[in-house]
Amino acid sequence: MEEPYYIQDYCHIRNGEIRLNGKTIFKSEETDLKSVMKSAYKKLQLDYSKFFKMDSLSKLAFIATDMLLKTEKEENMALVLSNRAASLDTDRKHQKSIKDPTQYYPSPSVFVYTLPNICLGEISIKHKLFSENSFYIFNEFSPSILHSYSSNLLHNNKAEKVLCGWVDVDHGKYDAFLYVVAKKGIFVHSTTEINRLY
């Protein structure tokens, strides 16, 4: 019989609001991502000098993760994230900087974020995570795949915990729903429960 797993904690960032386990911990009058991330960084007293160099996708994933892992000690934690837009938001900025041959000024600080999995690297560096990580691109939030993959990682002892979820940024819209799957927790780790919490 397969061992049951649980959702330890979960975090949403939507419409200028950050909620941890359903409770609002930050709310901004502004709703645009850039203003929300800047205000949240200051209000929540995050201290990470590289934050302001990150692209929007990485900032969104970084803050949601920081809410979940602020007091976490486990380093054998896998990362399994997903979204719909990959890194298109940053890709467009990079394309704009190289499309005119007479005004060709590609910025390495933009180019480095033209892969969605770069945000996994930023999270791993900050939280000293050395386990497996994956970033998937789906048409929509896919709890069944996240459930299956994270359960398999835990069942095969590839990780002690798994940070999972959806983090998407495109055309000014943003949505983050991240959660930690562990052997102990509050909610049963099932596709139904992941859908309900999302």
Side-chain angles (χ1 to χ4, degrees), residues 37-54:
M37 292 294 97
K38 187 175 179 182
S39 298
Y41 181 87
K42 289 180 181 177
K43 179 81 175 177
L44 300 170
Q45 300 179 332
L46 304 178
D47 183 22
Y48 193 65
S49 60
K50 288 176 61 182
F51 180 79
F52 290 102
K53 296 178 181 175
M54 295 179 195

Side-chain angles (χ1 to χ4, degrees), residues 28-188:
S28 171
E29 295 297 317
E30 309 268 351
T31 54
D32 73 285
L33 182 58
K34 187 175 180 181
S35 299
V36 171
M37 292 294 97
K38 187 175 179 182
S39 298
Y41 181 87
K42 289 180 181 177
K43 179 81 175 177
L44 300 170
Q45 300 179 332
L46 304 178
D47 183 22
Y48 193 65
S49 60
K50 288 176 61 182
F51 180 79
F52 290 102
K53 296 178 181 175
M54 295 179 195
D55 73 336
S56 296
L57 179 66
S58 296
K59 286 178 181 174
L60 184 63
F62 184 88
I63 287 184
T65 300
D66 215 61
M67 298 302 99
L68 291 167
L69 304 186
K70 197 170 271 189
T71 58
E72 180 65 53
K73 303 290 183 211
E74 181 60 60
E75 292 181 352
N76 187 13
M77 180 179 295
L79 304 173
V80 182
L81 301 188
S82 59
N83 76 8
R84 183 185 54 78
S87 56
L88 270 176
D89 195 60
T90 302
D91 296 349
R92 288 189 194 101
K93 289 177 187 158
H94 179 64
Q95 177 61 32
K96 189 176 177 182
S97 74
I98 63 172
K99 93 176 167 187
D100 183 353
T102 64
Q103 300 286 323
Y104 189 81
Y105 299 110
S107 169
S109 66
V110 174
F111 176 73
V112 76
Y113 288 100
T114 56
L115 291 172
N117 63 343
I118 296 301
C119 72
L120 294 173
E122 298 286 5
I123 291 167
S124 295
I125 292 167
K126 167 68 165 60
H127 295 282
K128 298 178 177 61
L129 304 176
F130 304 103
S131 188
E132 181 167 326
N133 62 68
S134 305
F135 201 118
Y136 294 96
I137 313 301
F138 302 130
N139 285 331
E140 58 189 12
F141 179 61
S142 301
S144 61
I145 295 172
L146 295 173
H147 173 268
S148 172
Y149 194 76
S150 58
S151 296
N152 193 35
L153 286 169
L154 294 169
H155 181 73
N156 290 302
N157 298 314
K158 299 290 184 185
E160 290 298 315
K161 295 183 179 181
V162 183
L163 174 69
C164 292
W166 177 262
V167 57
D168 195 49
V169 175
D170 195 21
H171 289 299
K173 295 179 180 174
Y174 58 94
D175 182 21
F177 170 62
L178 300 185
Y179 57 95
V180 176
V181 183
K183 293 177 181 170
K184 295 180 181 175
I186 303 168
F187 307 99
V188 172

